[in-house]
Amino acid sequence: MRLPVESLTGGLARDKVVTAAEAVALIRDGDAVVVEGFAGQCFAEELTLALEERFLKTGSPRDLTIAFAVAQGDRQGRGTERLCHPGLLRRAVGGHWGMSGALGRLAVENSIEAYNLPQGVIAQLFRDTAAGKPGLLTKVGLGTFVDPRHGGGKINDRTTDDVVELMTIGGEEYLFYKAFDRLDIAFLRGTTADPAGNITMEHEALFLEQLAVATAVHNRGGLVVVQVERIADDGVLRPKDVKIPGVLVDCVVVSTPERHWQTFGTRYSAALSGELRVPLSGVAALPLSPRKVVARRAAMELRPNSVVNLGIGMPEGVANVAAEEHVLDYITLTAEPGVIGGMPLGGLDFGSAINGHAILDQPAQFDFYDGGGLDAAFLGMAQADRQGNVNVSRFGPKLAGSGGFINISQNAKKVIFMGTFLAPSRTQVRDGRIEVTDGVAAAKFLNEVEQRTFSGQYAAAAGRPVLYVTERCVFRLTPDGLELIEIAPGLDVERDVLRHVGFSPIVNGDPAPMDARIFRDPPMGLQDDLLTVPLEARFAYDPERNMFFLNMEGMSLRTPADVEAIGTEVDKRLSAIGKKVRIAVNYDNFHLAPDMADAYIAVVRGLADRYYASVTRYTTSSFMRLKLGGQLTERGLSPHIYESRQEAVGWLTATGAGLDPYLIKGS
């Protein structure tokens, strides 16, 4: 029988402040404990150490289940590693495991039952469990190792219960992740509490899913324990500042400062919590190395006004390159725990940002990601194979876990995987080029990856653009597998690339040389590239499909001269083709001055009458779709405006084949 909280607080139910030892005394053998945190952010270290101390002294509690979106740790013994004593744990359910090596070893060595599910799924599953729902229905994870056809997220043979089901609804496949059937204890963290247990988080760098966890544990009849820095008087906290209401909180523990760092890398920074903004001039440029070469080539895929996710590890370098190239103001960087905008940080501060625009709860961030809100994702790549599958989650005895990788890579509009070509790279940058050095190295491009964290077939079927960027070369995903499209200047395709690949990639002619600027010390001038696309680079014609592509992305038409210039260039190219063509126009981040609308539509009408067999447009901006569609409709022109190039081309293909275009929209 669980000890009532009132007995610890002298019968005063509203005064919930107890010691850490008193709080962990409430945990029973076999309890399910939610340990909240992201590496060191929002991690209740005081409570975790008190639980460890109780177990080492008494041998109790035993056989606990722990649940987490991200295993807390610094790879040096802190975090959930302190709970990895024999007998303390029986089961673990988590998203990212890589920061706690000891916990990962327990799972890989078959010492505990263990599940690895997508980080976003776990964050959202706490919310759905809180609401009394049976689970989470989503497409996230299809074709990966969490798909029941490929293991269902089970890490070892000891783990037998099925927690993921494959379902077909309306002819489409989904995965159903079962809600947590038992949640007994929550370890949460805030900044300030009042005697009634209301919690604010003004010094925290993130909010994560703390409210969802508190609600889920409370509604399941469990106990919610919150570690804080300080106690305020009753009635002092402003209601809008309270992130966890006291009705959900059973115990409050005031921590020692040493066990309440903002992150495992930073004791406290007001810039990380959003309390002030700091100059970014001090952001250090990366030294010229294979790592920077990869980050620079990846950064060339940035587009103005795009919303981007940067993964952990090598992708963190994209933020450094963006700062060095002065393009941070033209893009919005995000991190999966909830940060939008600003400068994301790396290392033990990963997940936080300096000068962020907003900090969301983690489930809300993954709602945005899963729904297709990301324009691009830059993610790590430990292994890739002939089908374009990527593994970042498990390599032999090492368990990193999927983290948010599955949610992000499956749903971003464009994905750029980043990594050195070999491990270790066996390359160095010298005199403006890559030099290959001697030594043993492991191949990363294999015939088949050890574990499928990203499904190339799923992405190819969805028509999603995917690149694989290394310091030696660049591949892209096609329906037939990986195609080698670029190689570093001075390298030999056969000797330096193909002989180290475990399959035969597609090679059409000579791969293009990678941009020479990425191998030199000075900044690349990426800002000019980002904001200026040469007019001649905005046109492409596919004679096999008789399809003409016009890229208006990022253009601003503000004057009659702007309108006339684009009209003249399009007229010149279409007249040279000599027949009417099917047109697809990209209006992403396009701006048309209101007083130029009539002139522009008149130019479009003239071109349509002379050259268009059919036309469709696409843009990810809902506002631009409505605005431009309305202007075209008012003037009797084809109003078909879709959200992606795939949908637009699908419409043209269908109309050319005499099909109903609405039957294939989104296919």
Side-chain angles (χ1 to χ4, degrees):
M1 183 175 180
R2 195 186 299 279
L3 187 66
V5 176
E6 287 82 356
S7 67
L8 299 180
T9 59
L12 299 176
R14 286 180 53 77
D15 187 359
K16 300 181 178 182
V17 181
V18 300
T19 67
E22 290 171 332
V24 301
L26 301 171
I27 303 175
R28 305 166 300 190
D29 289 353
D31 270 351
V33 182
V34 181
V35 185
E36 180 64 299
F38 188 95
Q41 291 95 309
C42 299
F43 172 54
E45 189 168 27
E46 190 84 44
L47 298 176
T48 304
L49 293 175
L51 175 57
E52 178 193 35
E53 183 179 3
R54 178 190 165 196
F55 177 80
L56 292 177
K57 285 182 177 179
T58 69
S60 181
R62 301 182 61 82
D63 298 325
L64 300 181
T65 292
I66 60 169
F68 53 88
V70 174
Q72 303 79 37
D74 62 353
R75 297 191 175 100
Q76 300 294 322
R78 297 175 77 178
T80 47
E81 297 216 353
R82 305 303 291 265
L83 302 179
C84 293
H85 301 287
L88 178 54
L89 299 180
R90 181 181 68 87
R91 172 185 284 198
V93 181
H96 190 274
W97 293 64
M99 299 302 290
S100 180
L103 186 61
R105 285 191 294 274
L106 287 179
V108 172
E109 293 170 1
N110 215 31
S111 299
I112 60 173
E113 298 174 28
Y115 297 87
N116 182 198
L117 304 179
Q119 179 180 326
V121 165
I122 292 179
Q124 294 164 336
L125 205 55
F126 285 128
R127 185 180 62 190
D128 288 345
T129 301
K133 298 179 181 179
L136 175 68
L137 187 68
T138 177
K139 291 190 174 183
V140 171
L142 284 170
T144 73
F145 72 91
V146 299
D147 188 317
R149 294 167 292 191
H150 303 293
K154 300 168 188 171
I155 294 175
N156 57 36
D157 294 337
R158 182 171 180 164
T159 308
T160 58
D161 292 343
D162 294 327
V163 298
V164 189
E165 296 180 9
L166 178 68
M167 302 181 71
T168 301
I169 300 175
E172 296 189 41
E173 291 184 341
Y174 292 85
L175 295 182
F176 178 71
Y177 296 86
K178 298 177 184 179
F180 292 101
D181 59 352
R182 182 178 173 186
L183 295 173
D184 301 300
I185 301 287
F187 280 0
L188 307 179
R189 196 177 88 175
T191 302
T192 309
D194 65 15
N198 295 302
I199 308 295
T200 63
M201 300 177 67
E202 59 269 25
H203 289 172
E204 297 295 337
L206 301 169
F207 300 140
L208 301 179
E209 54 281 316
Q210 300 216 69
L211 176 59
V213 169
T215 309
V217 173
H218 175 83
N219 288 354
R220 281 284 196 261
L223 295 178
V224 176
V225 187
V226 185
Q227 172 182 316
V228 297
E229 295 179 26
R230 57 199 183 187
I231 302 295
D233 265 345
D234 232 346
V236 170
L237 302 181
R238 294 184 299 180
K240 287 187 176 180
D241 292 338
V242 173
K243 299 301 181 184
I244 307 174
V247 295
L248 301 178
V249 176
D250 297 288
C251 301
V252 173
V253 173
V254 180
S255 177
T256 57
E258 282 303 314
R259 296 175 177 178
H260 204 103
W261 279 41
Q262 191 178 43
T263 78
F264 279 152
T266 300
R267 182 183 292 272
Y268 170 69
S269 166
L272 269 65
S273 57
E275 296 169 274
L276 58 80
R277 298 180 68 83
V278 297
L280 287 178
S281 56
V283 177
L286 294 174
L288 189 58
S289 65
R291 177 187 176 91
K292 184 170 186 176
V293 165
V294 175
R296 279 177 155 183
R297 175 58 187 87
M300 290 180 168
E301 300 302 316
L302 293 169
R303 295 294 179 267
N305 301 318
S306 58
V307 181
V308 171
N309 171 270
L310 300 181
I312 194 169
M314 191 166 286
E316 297 168 16
V318 174
N320 296 82
V321 171
E324 180 184 11
E325 299 286 342
H326 305 291
V327 299
L328 277 179
D329 289 342
Y330 302 103
I331 56 177
T332 301
L333 301 177
T334 70
E336 56 266 32
V339 172
I340 293 182
M343 173 72 176
L345 300 179
L348 294 178
D349 294 324
F350 178 76
S352 307
I354 295 172
N355 300 346
H357 304 161
I359 303 174
L360 307 183
D361 285 357
Q362 186 164 223
Q365 185 81 307
F366 277 104
D367 289 342
F368 175 64
Y369 285 1
D370 292 350
L374 285 173
D375 295 302
F378 296 80
L379 302 171
M381 173 183 62
Q383 295 175 342
D385 67 20
R386 56 189 172 82
Q387 294 181 324
N389 301 317
V390 173
N391 175 24
V392 299
S393 47
R394 185 170 179 175
F395 331 98
K398 182 178 179 181
L399 177 64
S402 60
F405 187 95
I406 295 176
N407 299 80
I408 296 164
S409 64
Q410 186 172 319
N411 294 299
K413 294 182 178 73
K414 183 174 186 176
V415 182
I416 299 92
F417 293 118
M418 304 168 56
T420 57
F421 183 69
L422 299 175
S425 69
R426 299 303 177 197
T427 52
Q428 59 187 10
V429 187
R430 181 178 296 175
D431 299 329
R433 61 200 305 151
I434 284 287
E435 289 187 357
V436 177
T437 60
D438 294 331
V440 176
K444 297 174 70 172
F445 288 87
L446 312 173
N447 187 55
E448 186 174 352
V449 294
E450 290 183 55
Q451 187 171 74
R452 192 183 304 173
T453 329
F454 169 80
S455 172
Q457 290 176 306
Y458 186 94
R464 185 161 291 114
V466 181
L467 293 180
Y468 305 75
V469 176
T470 79
E471 83 283 12
R472 296 194 192 194
C473 61
V474 179
F475 296 91
R476 72 176 167 202
L477 181 64
T478 77
D480 299 317
L482 291 193
E483 178 185 3
L484 178 63
I485 59 171
E486 296 179 23
I487 187 169
L491 296 189
D492 180 80
V493 172
E494 180 61 40
R495 181 192 66 228
D496 299 318
V497 175
L498 296 182
R499 67 180 292 188
H500 305 285
V501 175
F503 56 93
S504 297
I506 300 167
V507 183
N508 291 318
D510 294 329
M514 297 170 72
D515 194 312
R517 293 174 296 171
I518 68 178
F519 304 98
R520 299 172 183 155
D521 268 317
M524 300 184 294
L526 188 59
Q527 186 182 77
D528 290 340
D529 293 353
L530 204 64
L531 301 179
T532 306
V533 178
L535 205 54
E536 60 271 16
R538 293 183 176 273
F539 311 99
Y541 176 59
D542 181 350
E544 291 186 6
R545 293 187 288 177
N546 191 33
M547 198 173 292
F548 186 85
F549 295 95
L550 173 57
N551 179 17
M552 303 287 281
E553 182 178 5
M555 288 192 74
S556 292
L557 303 185
R558 302 179 182 276
T559 68
D562 294 338
V563 174
E564 181 180 358
I566 190 65
T568 299
E569 288 296 329
V570 174
D571 187 287
K572 180 171 68 176
R573 283 162 174 78
L574 292 180
S575 63
I577 295 174
K579 60 181 177 181
K580 288 195 171 186
V581 297
R582 292 182 286 170
I583 304 286
V585 188
N586 176 11
Y587 278 111
D588 253 358
N589 303 312
F590 171 77
H591 174 72
L592 178 65
D595 56 346
M596 290 294 102
D598 288 339
Y600 180 68
I601 295 299
V603 169
V604 171
R605 181 187 295 278
L607 293 170
D609 289 344
R610 294 193 300 277
Y611 303 117
Y612 294 5
S614 57
V615 61
T616 190
R617 293 107 179 157
Y618 62 98
T619 174
T620 57
S621 167
S622 300
F623 175 76
M624 180 56 69
R625 285 199 298 275
L626 291 171
K627 178 180 177 182
L628 190 56
Q631 291 172 338
L632 294 168
T633 300
E634 288 171 5
R635 292 160 177 82
L637 293 170
S638 172
H640 303 295
I641 304 179
Y642 293 97
E643 189 176 2
S644 68
R645 173 170 172 150
Q646 180 196 8
E647 291 182 357
V649 172
W651 187 90
L652 289 175
T653 303
T655 53
L659 302 175
D660 181 349
Y662 296 100
L663 293 179
I664 68 160
K665 185 178 184 296
S667 62

